[in-house]
Every structure is written in structure tokens, then in C-alpha cells.
Amino acid sequence: AQTVTQSQPEMSVQEAETVTLSCTYDTSESDYYLFWYKQPPSRQMILVIRQEAYKQQNATENRFSVNFQKAAKSFSLKISDSQLGDAAMYFCAYRSPGIGNQFYFGTGTSLTVIP
Amino acid sequence: EAGVTQFPSHSVIEKGQTVTLRCDPISGHDNLYWYRRVMGKEIKFLLHFVKESKQDESGMPNNRFLAERTGGTYSTLKVQPAELEDSGVYFCASSQVTGLVDLEKLFFGSGTQLSVL
């Protein structure tokens, strides 16, 4: 079974600075999807960014970008110009191709943004 | 457009009692998923509905858990009798079947925090 590991239970960043959240995974599949989800306190979990394993180019969404290292099975999230609204629990997730396949999530990283 | 809604947001019950969690997916979404996060651990898959049919229930912990999706609309997850280890946050998510996996986007609810004392 696939596993996803987030080794940083908590992280903090100064407002306007950059922070990187780490994620590693284990799989024997060659094709898959990776995701970062964000859950603000008492709010819905929302998709931040996704990466298709067959794409070598790292995904970018505004201030959010990933460093996808397929050989190393690493998928880190970089948040640039951190804002107070970025404070949340961040979950890294893996999914095999195919409608309905389950997500495998990590344990989450709680990000605090310091004003 | 309303998102995925879950009710209640919090539930505190005693061991041995019964609790029913409800999820209303986004209207028109055929796929409905239940996930659970035990404190400090990863979010784990429980089961997947396509319309009213259980597509995959491999993640259900044991037979104390019963999920239904009447008429392919809202879903309920009943825990009977509840045990201490059932405490956690139960998430529901939904998506539309597009036939193109690249386009399947999941929408999550805010979760139900279940505390079993």
C-alpha cells in the first residue's frame, strides 16, 4: 500500500517570508497524482496544488509551488510571501489514477504565520 | 453554490452509544467519500459511494460502522456502539464523475469532530 509521510508536525513562518513543507511517499506505481490540501481551522479542506507524476515540470499556483523529485519520492510545498491567511493544517496526499481511487494522506503539518 | 456540508460539526457521546453523521454532497455529485482522521494521525479512507452503491468499503474499520446513501443523495455514517478509538474527525468529500480522471476534483466538507468518552 502507498504511504505518505510528513515529518514536520508544526512549522512557523514570518509573514512575507518563504516556508517549505516536506512530504515523502512510497509507491511502486509509475503513474500517480500528488496533492497538497489546506484546512484552515474549522473550515473545509481545499486543494492547494496538484502534480501529475508523468509531468517533469513542477506545478505552480500563484505563491504556491512544489518541488517534485520523482526518483527520491519527494513532494515538498513552497509557500512564498506568506500571508496570515495561509495559516492552516496542510496535508500531502497521493492518489493512483482512476476515478474513485482513494487518497492516501500524510499526518499533516500545522503552519503558523507570525505577523 | 453550496459546498459539501456535514452535520453535526461536533458530537460528544459516551462509549456504547450510537451516533449518526450526515453528509450532503454538492448537488449532482455522484461520487461520495468518507475519510477519518484520528488525532495526530493521517487521514484514512473509509469508503466510496457512486450514487447509492458502495464502490469500495475496504477502509471501514469493523461492522460497528454502517454507511448508507439513500437515493444517491446525502449519506449517513452510523457508529453503533461507539468505542473510544472511534474518536476523530470524519470527513466527507464529493466529486462529479467526468470520465476523465485528470478532471476529477474532490470537494471536502469541514468534517465532524467525534469524541467518544
Side-chain angles (χ1 to χ4, degrees):
Chain A
Q2 287 75 15
T3 59
V4 177
T5 302
Q6 292 179 250
S7 59
Q8 306 154 316
E10 298 178 344
M11 290 283 284
S12 62
V13 62
Q14 204 78 30
E15 194 176 4
E17 296 295 310
T18 295
V19 65
T20 298
L21 309 184
S22 64
C23 172
T24 58
Y25 58 94
D26 188 26
T27 184
S28 58
E29 298 176 327
S30 59
D31 192 20
Y32 47 86
Y33 298 87
L34 296 167
F35 306 81
W36 278 98
Y37 278 89
K38 164 187 176 182
Q39 188 188 21
S42 301
R43 300 280 301 278
Q44 295 167 326
M45 194 154 58
I46 58 175
L47 177 65
V48 175
I49 198 166
R50 61 178 264 170
Q51 174 82 42
E52 292 85 352
Y54 63 84
K55 291 185 179 178
Q56 293 190 351
Q57 186 173 8
N58 288 325
T60 299
E61 287 287 342
N62 301 315
R63 297 182 296 105
F64 298 87
S65 62
V66 299
N67 183 5
F68 173 47
Q69 302 288 330
K70 191 173 183 179
K73 296 179 182 175
S74 171
F75 183 61
S76 61
L77 175 69
K78 185 172 80 171
I79 306 174
S80 304
D81 185 25
S82 297
Q83 301 175 0
L84 296 178
D86 295 333
M89 182 71 79
Y90 287 80
F91 293 97
C92 178
Y94 170 106
R95 193 183 198 197
S96 301
I99 297 288
N101 281 334
Q102 61 175 283
F103 281 77
Y104 294 88
F105 288 89
T107 51
T109 296
S110 179
L111 178 66
T112 300
V113 181
I114 303 166
Chain B
E1 178 183 310
V4 177
T5 56
Q6 293 187 244
F7 182 82
S9 57
H10 295 81
S11 180
V12 181
I13 61 173
E14 293 187 351
K15 175 183 172 180
Q17 290 185 323
T18 297
V19 62
T20 300
L21 314 180
R22 172 169 170 147
C23 169
D24 286 73
I26 292 173
S27 178
H29 280 196
D30 292 333
N31 287 305
L32 187 149
Y33 306 83
W34 283 98
Y35 283 83
R36 175 176 73 171
R37 182 179 188 229
V38 173
M39 180 61 72
K41 297 193 175 181
E42 68 272 24
I43 300 172
K44 281 193 172 181
F45 169 82
L46 295 179
L47 86 159
H48 168 218
F49 283 100
V50 176
K51 296 185 180 179
E52 68 276 8
S53 300
K54 292 177 185 175
Q55 195 74 11
D56 180 359
E57 52 184 331
S58 60
M60 295 288 264
N62 49 62
N63 58 12
R64 296 185 293 103
F65 288 75
L66 175 64
E68 295 180 324
R69 191 179 182 193
T70 307
T73 55
Y74 70 90
S75 175
T76 58
L77 179 64
K78 183 164 73 173
V79 185
Q80 178 183 32
E83 298 289 344
L84 299 179
E85 64 264 24
D86 300 333
S87 296
V89 181
Y90 290 76
F91 291 101
C92 176
S94 73
S95 74
Q96 180 52 285
V97 176
T98 64
L100 297 172
V101 63
D102 276 15
L103 298 178
E104 187 190 7
K105 181 178 178 182
L106 259 64
F107 295 84
F108 283 84
S110 301
T112 293
Q113 173 76 59
L114 175 63
S115 298
V116 182
L117 307 179

